[in-house]
Amino acid sequence: MTAAGPAHEPLLRVDGLRKVYPSAQRPVVAIDGLSFDVAAGEFVCVVGPSGGGKSTLLKVVSGLLPPTDGRVLLDGASVTGPVPGLAVVFQEYGRSLYAWKTVRDNVALPLLARRVPRAERHRRAQEALAAVGLADAGRAYPWQLSGGMQQRVAIARAIVGEPRVLLMDEPFAAVDAQTRADLEDLVRAIWRRLGITVLFITHDIDESVYLGGRVLVLSRAPATIRADLTVDLPAERDQLGTRADARFAALRAEVFRLIAAEGTVRT
Ligand SMILES: Nc1ncnc2c1ncn2[C@@H]1O[C@H](COP(=O)(O)OP(=O)(O)OP(=O)(O)O)[C@@H](O)[C@H]1O
């Protein structure tokens, strides 16, 4: 992992972002004048009303969609397309893995694109698999694994290239509650161990408070930042203790109130 830039320079800067989807009838303004900074090593969750522009924000930040206006800067450099410094994990793990490639080859793919030699690809893929608790699954095929395990593979593939920022778009929305809790704890463990920066999109208010060090609450579409809350809970979190903490309940209520004031709420 490379060192962070100068202290005054955020690792990720989203500056005056605007995204309009053209349409024959009426253009859809999904994001309008949205700005925030993320410092190196932060875990920032983004939560907001349904249809509020969360996925659009992640697609623009990751360079998959061009902004209509404004810019995204990674370490001061403009992001104008997918870059190795930004890795993305989507909700649809099933569709993001190649069924005909082994788990190890799926994980090694970003390294193949960068022409990393074969032996090093295998070694680093194996390390990434170990980091997500799948050290023994390298020779399996994705379809032989459970949904939760497939999402672990997707996370391993995202971290194998040692990105500066891990972008996650509702990554656990399609798994059962117990698997989701395990994956939440896995992502926090990886974040703490690797010192990586995480921007995590979710529609789940509890999840945003449980995971984040900061929660950005979006307005309804067109999305702007409605609130930027610091989650002053201890770094050591656990599913039972943290969620029973009075401070957790207060933060959860605060985020809920902010989103309810915007419109549709899903919990
Ligand atoms: N490709 C597209 N073309 C036109 N409009 C779009 C497109 N993608 C999204 N939109 C619109 O942009 C707005 C924001 O959508 P987006 O999917 O970013 O919100 P979201 O907060 O991720 O939604 P959800 O909570 O349902 O996942 C919505 O009004 C949506 O209908």
Side-chain angles (χ1 to χ4, degrees):
M1 215 126 310
T2 45
H8 59 274
E9 186 76 22
L11 177 59
L12 184 69
R13 167 160 282 177
V14 172
D15 182 23
L17 212 61
R18 177 175 162 84
K19 179 65 190 176
V20 182
Y21 291 107
S23 151
Q25 287 89 32
R26 198 168 53 91
V28 178
V29 185
I31 297 176
D32 198 9
L34 197 156
S35 302
F36 64 91
D37 286 348
V38 178
E42 275 195 294
F43 196 132
V44 178
C45 289
V46 178
V47 69
S50 180
K54 299 184 294 297
S55 290
T56 302
L57 172 64
L58 192 118
K59 285 177 196 151
V60 175
V61 169
S62 62
L64 293 170
L65 264 187
T68 308
D69 206 352
R71 54 200 188 137
V72 175
L73 299 173
L74 177 66
D75 241 349
S78 202
V79 175
T80 53
V83 287
L86 293 169
V88 193
V89 177
F90 293 104
Q91 178 183 329
E92 291 161 330
Y93 50 81
R95 283 205 275 157
S96 73
L97 301 175
Y98 292 110
W100 62 90
K101 285 187 180 292
T102 62
V103 162
R104 188 183 65 184
D105 286 349
N106 266 284
V107 172
L109 267 178
L111 305 178
L112 184 65
R114 279 184 239 165
R115 301 180 195 281
V116 174
R118 183 182 156 90
E120 190 185 337
R121 284 203 308 269
H122 287 177
R123 182 183 57 74
R124 287 172 62 180
Q126 193 51 41
E127 272 176 23
L129 281 168
V132 300
L134 288 180
D136 298 329
R139 289 179 195 283
Y141 287 87
W143 45 270
Q144 295 175 307
L145 307 180
S146 68
M149 289 165 87
Q150 289 181 43
Q151 194 57 305
R152 283 173 189 259
V153 176
I155 294 168
R157 187 175 61 189
I159 63 174
V160 76
E162 300 189 347
R164 306 293 314 277
V165 183
L166 187 57
L167 302 168
M168 308 188 86
D169 188 9
E170 306 217 15
F172 310 145
V175 296
D176 63 82
Q178 182 57 52
T179 305
R180 183 178 192 138
D182 292 344
L183 289 169
E184 287 170 354
D185 290 335
L186 173 73
V187 169
R188 270 199 64 92
I190 287 173
W191 167 70
R192 293 186 74 183
R193 200 166 62 240
L194 302 185
I196 200 168
T197 305
V198 181
L199 186 66
F200 190 105
I201 309 269
T202 178
H203 67 260
D204 186 308
I205 294 169
D206 289 45
E207 184 169 75
S208 72
V209 175
Y210 181 73
L211 287 177
R214 241 169 97 201
V215 176
L216 302 179
V217 182
L218 298 188
S219 68
R220 81 169 77 153
T224 54
I225 303 287
R226 174 82 172 78
D228 183 344
L229 304 175
T230 299
V231 179
D232 50 357
L233 292 168
E236 201 66 56
R237 301 196 185 164
D238 79 274
Q239 294 285 349
L240 291 179
T242 302
R243 289 175 192 269
D245 190 313
R247 186 65 194 134
F248 178 89
L251 284 162
R252 178 192 185 283
E254 172 73 357
V255 177
F256 188 94
R257 193 183 57 72
L258 286 161
I259 296 177
E262 293 296 323
T264 324
V265 177
R266 282 192 279 159
T267 52

